[in-house]
Amino acid sequence: KAGVTQTPRYLIKTRGQQVTLSCSPISGHRSVSWYQQTPGQGLQFLFEYFSETQRNKGNFPGRFSGRQFSNSRSEMNVSTLELGDSALYLCASSSNGHEQYFGPGTRLTVT
Amino acid sequence: GQSLEQPSEVTAVEGAIVQINCTYQTSGFYGLSWYQQHDGGAPTFLSYNGLDGLEETGRFSSFLSRSDSYGYLLLQELQMKDSASYFCAVRDLGNQGGKLIFGQGTELSVKP
């Protein structure tokens, strides 16, 4: 099976802009989660989607949003970008909730 | 609150055995997982413990004691390629099944 894919892999944006990141899960996986990884804060949970419904949400401001489509593909959006949003954004899919399979991530740099 | 504690770094030599501990505090509990992440790479799933006891997968073993809110990852016959960061994670039971919370990670350095 193909692994989790994320696009784009790298992105440079300026403050105030918005960005949309995309994730395609492993075929058959209905759960998709998003994480932000920074050197200082580690892996922080953003949200989890299952069958197009947001099942859990982390402690991030409303500028961070996401959605999941009927084919389980997911997108996350960050509006009004801040310098502190620079991070590696990781998407993971799962069939059972216990084993998360991560994509390569999108490296976002906000200048 | 919800938190996981693990050592920030561990150093060991090739061929040795190393244990990475993880203690957790959550409002509910739904199993302990371990992930490995090499520099510049994505985390990869190593193991999951839903019940107390030891789970073995090749050179890696993971242990859980729910009564002690404690688990560990045991790496045997260390190889240079095992140098990486290791994260423990728990699915904290919440309103709708619980979000996955990761520890800060343990950076393992394997020396020749």
Side-chain angles (χ1 to χ4, degrees):
Chain A
K1 280 185 180 178
V4 177
T5 59
Q6 293 186 243
T7 57
R9 292 293 311 278
Y10 302 91
L11 204 50
I12 299 175
K13 291 285 189 179
T14 57
R15 278 178 296 177
Q17 287 187 311
Q18 73 163 18
V19 66
T20 299
L21 311 181
S22 181
C23 170
S24 291
I26 291 172
S27 178
H29 286 191
R30 295 163 67 188
S31 168
V32 174
S33 300
W34 288 89
Y35 301 86
Q36 181 195 67
Q37 187 173 33
T38 58
Q41 296 297 316
L43 267 165
Q44 300 285 310
F45 172 81
L46 279 157
F47 22 67
E48 178 185 12
Y49 287 88
F50 183 85
S51 294
E52 301 179 68
T53 301
Q54 187 180 86
R55 189 156 68 170
N56 289 291
K57 190 176 190 308
N59 299 324
F60 279 81
R63 301 185 296 108
F64 292 80
S65 62
R67 59 178 175 168
Q68 186 181 32
F69 302 96
S70 58
N71 61 359
S72 293
R73 192 177 68 84
S74 178
E75 289 181 347
M76 69 162 280
N77 184 277
V78 187
S79 62
T80 320
L81 283 166
E82 301 177 358
L83 294 178
D85 296 333
S86 294
L88 179 67
Y89 289 88
L90 291 158
C91 162
S93 74
S94 177
S95 62
N96 60 16
H98 304 316
E99 302 176 29
Q100 300 276 311
Y101 293 88
F102 285 83
T106 295
R107 174 75 62 185
L108 172 65
T109 302
V110 182
T111 62
Chain B
Q2 310 139 0
S3 66
L4 293 96
E5 296 289 331
Q6 52 181 127
S8 58
E9 54 186 40
V10 173
T11 301
V13 297
E14 250 186 319
I17 299 173
V18 72
Q19 179 174 312
I20 299 174
N21 299 321
C22 175
T23 57
Y24 60 86
Q25 181 180 7
T26 60
S27 55
F29 182 74
Y30 197 56
L32 182 70
S33 304
W34 289 91
Y35 291 81
Q36 178 194 60
Q37 186 177 29
H38 286 99
D39 266 350
T44 56
F45 172 80
L46 290 176
S47 69
Y48 170 76
N49 292 72
L51 300 173
D52 288 357
L54 193 67
E55 294 284 338
E56 298 179 77
T57 309
R59 295 187 297 114
F60 293 1
S61 303
S62 57
F63 172 83
L64 174 65
S65 169
R66 288 176 295 172
S67 60
D68 296 321
S69 297
Y70 162 77
Y72 66 71
L73 179 69
L74 191 73
L75 296 84
Q76 302 182 73
E77 300 172 20
L78 280 174
Q79 302 175 8
M80 298 295 289
K81 67 178 182 179
D82 296 330
S83 293
S85 292
Y86 292 84
F87 297 87
C88 57
V90 295
R91 185 170 285 277
D92 193 23
L93 293 180
N95 295 331
Q96 297 167 302
K99 55 187 180 183
L100 198 60
I101 302 169
F102 283 81
Q104 288 296 302
T106 298
E107 187 173 344
L108 171 63
S109 297
V110 180
K111 307 294 186 185

